[in-house]
Amino acid sequence: FRRGLTVLAGLGLSFEAWQFHTQLGELADVAAAVPGATIIVNHIGAPMGIGPYADRWQEVREVWRPAMRRLATLDNVVLKVGGIGMARFGGGFDRGERPPTSDELLARWGDDLRFCIDTFGPHRCMFESNYPVDAESVGYVVLWNAFKKVSAGYSAEERAALFRNTARRTYRIG
């Protein structure tokens, strides 16, 4: 895999990583071993909240946060901040009588989103919608309003990075 990732990097391509939070250490090992590869971690590193992780959010955080801090030390890693509407992350929004508001979404996810942004820095983070999968529990407009609210305390330059410039640089677009 590492040899293949080296070839991918040599072609100027990036690698999108989608793994569970329990696999972030392995991803960090790969990123450290192939520093020329741009690795994009999807969906805030996938802190699971269902199955054996249901109702164990604090325990998940105890594994997820240190792993995210380790990944953030690697300059070739970029983070997609989103995916928080997926039912597999827990929170129960998919089982509610109505979809959550942006404020309800932030009551559950705000601290963790800010943790991600502050750990990686806004210039290595990009907001993402994971539609249609996020639609399991949250509306598109509500999701982006939550991103606007969670980023309100950052500078205009940092917000530009979060909403567009990190993606433009990472994907070499526009």
Side-chain angles (χ1 to χ4, degrees):
F1 180 84
R2 291 177 184 188
R3 283 192 310 269
L5 187 58
T6 301
V7 170
L8 191 74
L11 295 171
L13 301 172
S14 57
F15 175 71
E16 299 264 342
W18 171 223
Q19 71 301 301
F20 292 166
H21 70 278
T22 55
Q23 298 167 310
L24 290 172
E26 293 171 71
L27 182 60
D29 291 344
V30 167
V34 189
T38 298
I39 297 175
I40 303 157
V41 179
N42 283 280
H43 319 315
I44 62 171
M48 290 292 117
I50 59 171
Y53 307 107
D55 302 318
R56 296 173 57 200
W57 184 237
Q58 286 309 109
E59 293 173 53
V60 168
R61 269 192 181 134
E62 290 171 14
V63 173
W64 174 69
R65 283 191 173 208
M68 294 297 284
R69 284 186 192 101
R70 181 173 171 216
L71 278 169
T73 67
L74 302 163
D75 292 335
N76 59 324
V77 178
V78 178
L79 180 66
K80 282 187 176 176
V81 178
I84 58 175
M86 292 189 291
R88 61 190 56 101
F89 283 4
F93 293 123
D94 59 312
R95 298 184 305 273
E97 291 182 26
R98 60 171 176 69
T101 65
S102 58
D103 289 331
E104 290 168 334
L105 200 58
L106 287 181
R108 167 65 171 86
W109 284 108
D111 290 342
D112 294 308
L113 296 180
R114 281 184 290 275
F115 162 79
C116 288
I117 296 165
D118 293 342
T119 300
F120 280 81
H123 293 59
R124 289 180 47 216
C125 290
M126 61 183 104
F127 287 130
E128 59 142 340
S129 68
N130 187 37
Y131 267 80
V133 184
D134 273 339
E136 293 173 340
S137 60
V138 66
Y140 189 81
V141 172
V142 168
L143 178 68
W144 285 96
N145 282 340
F147 292 155
K148 289 176 186 176
K149 289 177 179 182
V150 81
S151 67
Y154 295 93
S155 72
E157 180 188 355
E158 291 169 331
R159 291 183 89 199
L162 291 165
F163 281 98
R164 69 179 170 275
N165 293 340
T166 300
R168 283 180 174 167
R169 185 185 70 253
T170 301
Y171 294 110
R172 297 177 316 276
I173 54 177

